[in-house]
Amino acid sequence: MISDERQRAVMEHRLSGLKRPESGWSAPVRSEALAHIQRVGLPSRRDEYWKFTRPDTLVQASAPKAALFDNDESPVFGEVDRLKVVFVDGVFDLELSDELALEGIVIDRLAAVGDQGSHWAESVYGKLEQRGQDPVVRPLAALNTAFATDGILIDVQQTPSKPISLIYVHANETSDAILHHVIRVNEGAAVTILETGPAAARFNKCMEIELADDSELHHVRAQGRDHERRAATHMFALLGARSQFKSFTLTVNGRLTRNEIYTELSGENSSAHIAGACVGDGEFHHDDTVFVTHDAENCDSRQVFKKVLRNGATGVFQGKILVKPGAQKTDGYQISQSLLLDDDSQFLAKPELEIYADDVACSHGSTSGAINEEALFYLRARGIERAEATDLLTLAFLREAVEEIESETLADEIVSRLMAWLLRHRPE
């Protein structure tokens, strides 16, 4: 409950500039989401899961100005045959997008079908987000559910022939985008979802994923290089029996990024692998907050997060594995590590295990350190310049996270982007 008048004022000021759809199949859950926000308020530094990250610019009424970034690189995944779905400052762009049709899937836009009387997404939209509000409240996700007016609804009935690529373009210095995606993968189907781009000056995105028995979803995300952008993203995944969920995120640049992932393994023999790599320089704050719930037998989960920080950059990792009673034979693994390339940067970590079953194998670890001087000396003794040797060791440090990507082609693309960033940021 909101106990602070200032927090209530912040909430009311933020909500005053937003309008939510009040008709159609999504209206009831939107009302519930709004009521939830009005009960708990928007996040503040007093909240346990926000003590490492200042939410001020994420909850203020208007988006802070973010200068447009002239990216001279080729588009990420540009060589991959994919179905392109483009949003410019949170608005669907018909001309830049491909036709929303692909064998094996049905795609709708939330803006086009949200006012209808019924839709298959009604059973998912906002429902997984609600499940993820307990035991940790996620008010920015509820804000998204209540007020998002567009997004993509994807019903994967059979395995499509190519990935679906969600491309986010930042074109306005004060854009404030809210998008909500829903993905349902039916029994026996598999799909790959790609996400790229900075999206807006401030971006609030929610993605809900429902995996039926024996289904797979592979998610690879490269968040845009805009220096001043801010983003709060949320993923909620519910896994059926023998399903597989794999998600990897690359983050470079950005003033403030918070990626929250809530995954619930509710079917036996399901698997969830969540990984991320970030490289930050200067005024850079990156927060990964992950919650994995095991609620069925013989399931496994992995959390692998690596951060490279320099020139005062800050990295945050909050990861939890919850094993419920009856979730025997659980195999849970969590590792978060940072490589600090100077004395000004910092890494803040809060790993957690909460276990209510007795036949499990769970582990977590978190470390922070500098470049290994012995390894650096070894490379330099073989004629490799210090800057190049440092880059090679940095890539080796990040590789465990990148190896979580199923596709070698996509993994190679991520490595090339990391190498390009390191080359651009070599000390002069």
Side-chain angles (χ1 to χ4, degrees):
M1 299 295 292
I2 302 177
S3 57
D4 184 272
E5 286 304 315
R6 182 179 180 278
Q7 187 181 8
R8 182 178 296 280
V10 168
M11 178 197 69
E12 292 177 351
H13 194 41
R14 177 71 175 111
L15 298 184
S16 65
L18 297 172
K19 294 182 179 180
R20 62 187 176 91
E22 297 183 0
S23 63
W25 54 265
S26 66
V29 75
R30 290 180 185 275
S31 296
E32 292 176 19
L34 177 59
H36 178 74
I37 300 167
Q38 292 170 332
R39 285 195 305 272
V40 304
L42 294 175
S44 72
R45 288 294 294 274
R46 294 183 179 182
D47 298 336
E48 176 67 18
Y49 275 82
W50 284 90
K51 66 179 182 180
F52 297 140
T53 299
R54 295 189 66 88
D56 310 39
T57 56
L58 298 174
V59 301
Q60 67 187 47
S62 58
K65 184 177 179 179
L68 303 183
F69 181 71
D70 185 15
N71 190 350
D72 56 357
E73 285 187 308
S74 60
V76 182
F77 309 128
E79 301 301 317
V80 176
D81 183 21
R82 57 203 167 123
L83 175 70
K84 297 189 291 295
V85 183
V86 182
F87 292 90
V88 179
D89 290 325
V91 178
F92 176 75
D93 192 301
L94 180 63
E95 293 186 1
L96 295 178
S97 301
D98 294 331
E99 182 182 358
L100 300 185
L102 188 63
E103 185 178 353
I105 66 173
V106 175
I107 303 181
D108 291 311
R109 286 180 51 217
L110 179 61
V113 302
D115 60 353
Q116 295 179 0
S118 63
H119 191 271
W120 67 260
E122 183 176 0
S123 65
V124 183
Y125 184 92
K127 304 299 175 60
L128 304 191
E129 174 259 298
Q130 284 180 345
R131 294 173 74 113
Q133 296 287 346
D134 183 25
V136 178
V137 295
R138 307 176 195 278
L140 290 180
L143 179 78
N144 184 297
T145 295
F147 293 100
T149 56
D150 209 354
I152 292 296
L153 314 176
I154 306 174
D155 186 20
V156 184
Q157 299 171 354
Q158 297 178 354
T159 302
S161 59
K162 54 188 175 182
I164 300 165
S165 180
L166 307 180
I167 302 168
Y168 309 119
V169 179
H170 176 203
N172 186 301
E173 290 185 338
T174 58
S175 55
D176 195 8
I178 301 178
L179 289 175
H180 196 116
H181 307 311
V182 174
I183 303 171
R184 182 175 70 180
V185 187
N186 289 270
E187 186 171 353
V191 68
T192 296
I193 304 293
L194 307 177
E195 290 190 281
T196 60
R202 181 172 65 180
F203 188 34
N204 181 326
K205 188 210 71 181
C206 188
M207 179 182 288
E208 296 180 285
I209 300 165
E210 184 178 73
L211 297 178
D213 297 349
D214 301 296
S215 66
E216 296 181 18
L217 186 139
H218 300 271
H219 171 252
V220 182
R221 171 170 54 176
Q223 294 178 309
R225 280 179 53 198
D226 285 35
H227 293 297
E228 298 181 3
R229 64 172 175 79
R230 291 170 171 83
T233 76
H234 316 82
M235 294 182 68
F236 299 91
L238 180 64
L239 280 61
R242 300 171 301 282
S243 63
Q244 183 179 77
F245 170 66
K246 298 194 76 170
S247 175
F248 172 88
T249 298
L250 168 68
T251 305
V252 298
N253 297 0
R255 187 69 59 87
L256 169 62
T257 305
R258 179 174 169 111
N259 296 324
E260 295 194 34
I261 298 181
Y262 176 87
T263 304
E264 186 175 345
L265 295 90
S266 62
E268 294 184 0
N269 298 291
S270 56
S271 175
H273 290 199
I274 304 163
C278 88
V279 284
D281 191 327
E283 196 169 354
F284 171 92
H285 186 104
H286 187 271
D287 180 337
D288 286 302
T289 294
V290 182
F291 199 112
V292 175
T293 298
H294 285 262
D295 197 18
E297 292 187 355
N298 294 298
C299 297
D300 77 273
S301 66
R302 286 174 59 85
Q303 300 174 46
V304 181
F305 287 86
K306 301 292 188 83
K307 301 179 190 289
V308 177
L309 308 166
R310 59 165 55 137
N311 296 330
T314 297
V316 174
F317 174 78
Q318 300 180 106
K320 183 166 185 174
I321 300 173
L322 169 63
V323 182
K324 290 189 173 182
Q328 305 294 355
K329 307 295 183 182
T330 286
D331 184 357
Y333 173 77
Q334 179 195 99
I335 186 73
S336 60
Q337 296 178 314
S338 73
L339 183 61
L340 305 180
L341 299 182
D342 56 38
D343 294 332
D344 299 323
S345 301
Q346 62 176 336
F347 176 58
L348 307 169
K350 182 186 176 186
E352 297 180 87
L353 297 177
E354 187 173 347
I355 301 171
Y356 298 100
D358 54 13
D359 187 7
V360 303
C362 291
S363 64
H364 66 73
S366 184
T367 63
S368 186
I371 286 285
N372 186 307
E373 290 297 330
E374 289 187 8
L376 187 61
F377 176 81
Y378 176 87
L379 292 175
R380 296 201 67 196
R382 279 147 182 80
I384 301 175
E385 294 292 331
R386 183 182 184 88
E388 183 181 356
T390 299
D391 289 349
L392 290 173
L393 293 173
T394 300
L395 281 175
F397 168 78
L398 294 168
R399 186 161 294 277
E400 183 183 1
V402 177
E403 286 176 349
E404 291 295 315
I405 301 173
E406 189 83 6
S407 165
E408 290 186 11
T409 299
L410 299 179
D412 289 345
E413 174 78 359
I414 293 298
V415 170
S416 71
R417 299 293 166 160
L418 285 168
M419 193 66 215
W421 188 93
L422 292 170
L423 286 171
R424 289 192 301 270
H425 289 77
R426 279 185 179 177
E428 296 182 359

